[in-house]
Amino acid sequence: MLLLCSAVLAPPVIDHSGPLGLLGLVGRLMWVVWIVVYGVVLMRRAPQSPTAR
């Protein structure tokens, strides 16, 4: 949601500097944190043995 707001607000942010420019930064940092945390969870997950049918 933050990345969408950042994209929509890009023209006003380019014209006038202000705190709205940090909106995109926060969104991207949250995205990176989510990818790292989820990647760690997937790597730590124990591999399951295949079941015989």
Side-chain angles (χ1 to χ4, degrees), residues 5-30:
C5 291
S6 169
V8 170
L9 295 173
V13 169
I14 291 172
D15 291 340
H16 308 287
S17 62
L20 288 178
L22 296 177
L23 195 64
L25 176 64
V26 171
R28 291 185 191 278
L29 289 177
M30 288 173 56

Side-chain angles (χ1 to χ4, degrees), residues 32-46:
V32 169
V33 168
W34 183 83
I35 288 175
V36 168
V37 169
Y38 195 64
V40 169
V41 168
L42 289 176
M43 287 190 296
R44 292 187 60 147
R45 200 170 179 183

